[in-house]
Amino acid sequence: MNTTGRTPPAPFRSMANPHTVATRLAVPSREDRIDDPVVRGLQWARTAVGLVATVWLVMAYPVTQGREEFVMGKIEDLLYACVIMFTTAFLAVTAFICAARSPLKGLYARRLPGPLYTIGAILLSFGACWFMLACMKGDVVSMADFAGHGFFVNLLVVLLFLAGGLACLIGVIVGIPFTLLLIVYGVNSSFRVGDIHELLPPLLSPLLVWSLFGLNLLDDPEVAAPPIVLYTFLLGGPVSVTALSVWEIWRLRRRYGMSLRGALGR
């Protein structure tokens, strides 16, 4: 019997890994959407360059508040990006749909579930991770709350806390990478607003990165680097995103005949 190339059992093949689930939830998936591989490749190349530049900056210069605080600060930046993008996207998409003429107005409104699913998934996964971490720390409930109820009750409580702690640990190990993937993909796709119309992501992305640039200017420098290096690093993201967005809008118009006037049916 041939044992090489054995495939996993059907139940394991059907289980989606966190990366697959995050991709399905946070990446635009409308079937008739224009998906330009050149634009998509440049977007992820820009993201990769940004990550490499961040790692180099941390390794080349001492951080001002410790590496753990620096990492947590970057995670907070991602959360701020989600809040800013949610607010910006909500206002921009609402104005876009209201400005569109019929029947486009109804068509765009029917495409809203995709971005809403992404936002809901990010909030739910982040809330679940926060709750499980709080449970593990004993901030929600602790064994001290059940003291003085007899030996068997205390034994049952200990067993329940062990089982619950193990479940929370597994949930955190899976949930934190999943949440980070959702946030990265969600921010990169502008919360799947490309499912509504292809022009919305390049119009919204510069607003996001320049808002984050303003927040970074208000904060104290996280790395003790020379000013020219620090400000080059801070400006690299907004400038590259803006340039790529302008080029993407130009490419959509030249290659696919898309314009804001046409998108609004005017």
Side-chain angles (χ1 to χ4, degrees):
M1 184 171 69
N2 183 18
T3 59
T4 60
R6 182 178 298 172
T7 57
F12 292 96
R13 293 200 308 268
S14 62
M15 291 176 62
N17 59 66
H19 180 267
T20 302
V21 177
T23 303
R24 291 177 180 175
L25 288 172
V27 174
S29 58
R30 177 166 52 87
E31 294 182 357
D32 58 342
R33 184 181 64 90
I34 294 175
D35 184 18
D36 195 320
V38 176
V39 174
R40 177 161 35 89
L42 287 176
Q43 288 174 341
W44 284 111
R46 183 203 66 222
T47 302
V49 170
L51 291 175
V52 171
T54 302
V55 173
W56 172 82
L57 193 68
V58 176
M59 300 303 295
Y61 298 98
V63 294
T64 56
Q65 296 181 343
R67 300 190 186 278
E68 182 179 353
E69 287 78 4
F70 179 82
V71 173
M72 293 304 298
K74 291 304 175 185
I75 295 177
E76 289 180 1
D77 287 345
L78 287 174
L79 294 177
Y80 287 143
C82 286
V83 173
I84 294 172
M85 179 55 71
F86 171 74
T87 305
T88 305
F90 175 79
L91 296 175
V93 170
T94 301
F96 181 82
I97 294 177
C98 292
R101 292 181 176 177
S102 299
L104 293 176
K105 188 190 299 289
L107 176 65
Y108 296 150
R110 289 192 294 272
R111 293 175 178 175
L112 282 173
L116 293 178
Y117 288 152
T118 301
I119 295 170
I122 291 175
L123 294 177
L124 183 62
S125 60
F126 180 77
C129 289
W130 175 84
F131 179 76
M132 287 184 289
L133 285 172
C135 288
M136 293 175 62
K137 293 178 180 179
D139 295 337
V140 177
V141 62
S142 64
M143 287 189 291
D145 298 329
F146 298 91
H149 290 80
F151 173 78
F152 290 105
V153 173
N154 290 336
L155 179 61
L156 179 61
V157 169
V158 170
L159 293 176
L160 289 176
F161 268 84
L162 288 176
L166 180 61
C168 288
L169 178 62
I170 296 174
V172 167
I173 293 174
V174 176
I176 289 180
F178 174 70
T179 303
L180 290 176
L181 283 172
L182 269 180
I183 293 175
V184 171
Y185 276 111
V187 172
N188 192 67
S189 67
S190 301
F191 291 134
R192 282 180 66 178
V193 292
D195 275 346
I196 300 175
H197 196 276
E198 288 80 355
L199 281 173
L200 286 175
L203 290 174
L204 293 178
S205 296
L207 297 176
L208 166 68
V209 292
W210 283 109
S211 298
L212 289 177
F213 174 75
L215 290 176
N216 287 327
L217 285 181
L218 296 176
D219 292 337
D220 295 330
E222 299 171 326
V223 178
I228 187 172
V229 175
L230 186 62
Y231 287 107
T232 300
F233 173 78
L234 291 177
L235 278 171
V239 172
S240 62
V241 170
T242 302
L244 182 57
S245 296
V246 172
W247 178 80
E248 184 179 352
I249 293 172
W250 174 84
R251 184 176 175 86
L252 286 172
R253 181 180 180 87
R254 182 184 178 106
R255 191 177 182 88
Y256 303 103
M258 286 190 173
S259 64
L260 183 59
R261 180 182 294 272
L264 298 176
R266 298 181 179 274

